[in-house]
Amino acid sequence: MGMISEFKDFIAKGNAMDLAVGVIIGASFGAIVNSLVSDVITPALLNPALKAAQVENLADLKTDGGILYGKFLAAVISFLVIAFVIFIMVKGINSMKKKEEAAPAAPAGPSQEELLTQIRDLLKK
């Protein structure tokens, strides 16, 4: 019974629950970003270039030796676009967050002259 209660306590801790929520939301966010990139941005960027090169799909590009450099180019372009989209989204989210107020400055203590004056006055008594 001890191990089961320890496991229950471990699962119920905030860190484990926060991690679970983060993973689930991250997966959903990944689906949104992938859809944005594959369905909106990539066709807008690549379709004109592919039509000019008379190629239907970037992945179809290959050398005479069978090297599929088109797939590699598609992966690189996809990575760059996804990274840029995430950068823009994070930048937007960060700008929406409230600016943290600066901590109030600690009250300045007495200066050295004031301390010496207080010591002198105490010695006079």
Side-chain angles (χ1 to χ4, degrees):
M1 242 359 219
M3 183 179 254
I4 292 174
S5 64
E6 283 183 45
F7 181 69
K8 185 178 101 175
D9 291 341
F10 170 75
I11 292 298
K13 279 186 182 178
N15 293 344
M17 297 306 277
D18 290 344
L19 179 62
V21 169
V23 168
I24 292 168
I25 290 184
S28 298
F29 184 72
I32 291 170
V33 170
N34 285 336
S35 176
L36 176 65
V37 170
S38 64
D39 300 333
V40 178
I41 295 174
T42 301
L45 293 176
L46 290 182
N47 282 349
L50 292 175
K51 285 181 183 175
Q54 297 177 350
V55 176
E56 289 293 320
N57 191 355
L58 184 62
D60 293 340
L61 294 175
K62 61 182 174 181
T63 64
D64 291 335
I67 297 174
L68 301 172
Y69 69 91
K71 279 188 173 184
F72 176 73
L73 288 175
V76 169
I77 291 170
S78 179
F79 169 77
L80 292 174
V81 172
I82 287 172
F84 184 72
V85 167
I86 290 174
F87 169 74
I88 295 298
M89 290 178 135
V90 168
K91 189 172 174 103
I93 289 169
N94 287 341
S95 69
M96 288 190 298
K97 288 183 179 176
K98 292 180 182 177
K99 304 286 183 203
E100 291 186 28
E101 295 178 22
S111 67
Q112 188 174 4
E113 290 86 19
E114 292 170 343
L115 289 174
L116 290 173
T117 305
Q118 290 175 2
I119 293 171
R120 182 196 65 202
D121 293 344
L122 287 172
L123 289 174
K124 282 184 181 180
K125 291 183 182 179

